[in-house]
Amino acid sequence: QVQLVESGGGLVQAGGSLRLSCAASGRTFNRYYMGWFRQAPGKDRELVAASDWSGGSTDYADSVKGRFTISRDNAKNMVYLQMNSLKPEDTAVYYCAASIRHLKWGYNNWGQGTQVTVSS
């Protein structure tokens, strides 16, 4: 098990940038795939970006490719999501999550979420 705490959300104008951070507890952090999910009101939770243990293999939702970048610092037990060129449709609660099983599924450790609001 790993405990996750997100930070860095807020209100930003369209075209702006935000960087989300996720602090993880536990000595086995570098064994986990890490992902960022988001959930907008009335919509299903979706996987936005994911990274393997090294950061060498990543995956992004089509809607954020070229705008969002996931990175991790295993020495600090941190995961980041750099979000550029933000759009109003990026507005959602963003969750950090960990999976021991796979890059795209098996996420069963979740943070509490951080709100991102993009104004037009």
Side-chain angles (χ1 to χ4, degrees):
Q1 289 289 334
V2 59
Q3 284 72 50
L4 306 169
V5 179
E6 304 95 335
S7 61
L11 174 64
V12 64
Q13 288 188 332
S17 297
L18 280 176
R19 189 175 84 150
L20 304 183
S21 299
C22 174
S25 65
R27 291 178 292 178
T28 59
F29 171 73
N30 62 1
R31 295 177 57 190
Y32 285 86
Y33 298 94
M34 296 300 300
W36 285 97
F37 289 73
R38 69 184 180 188
Q39 187 166 23
K43 295 188 177 181
D44 293 334
R45 188 175 296 189
E46 64 169 338
L47 179 60
V48 172
S51 170
D52 71 352
W53 70 273
S54 70
S57 179
T58 57
D59 188 68
Y60 295 92
D62 288 343
S63 58
V64 307
K65 282 181 181 176
R67 300 189 298 122
F68 290 13
T69 303
I70 187 171
S71 61
R72 63 191 295 167
D73 185 337
N74 289 336
K76 296 181 178 179
N77 280 18
M78 295 292 296
V79 182
Y80 307 99
L81 184 67
Q82 179 66 44
M83 305 186 294
N84 299 328
S85 302
L86 282 161
K87 304 175 181 180
E89 50 264 44
D90 295 318
T91 295
V93 178
Y94 283 72
Y95 298 90
C96 176
S99 170
I100 198 69
R101 301 180 66 188
H102 195 271
L103 186 66
K104 294 186 179 181
W105 49 265
Y107 287 90
N108 59 359
N109 294 271
W110 296 88
Q112 81 288 351
T114 186
Q115 176 71 45
V116 172
T117 302
V118 184
S119 63
S120 57

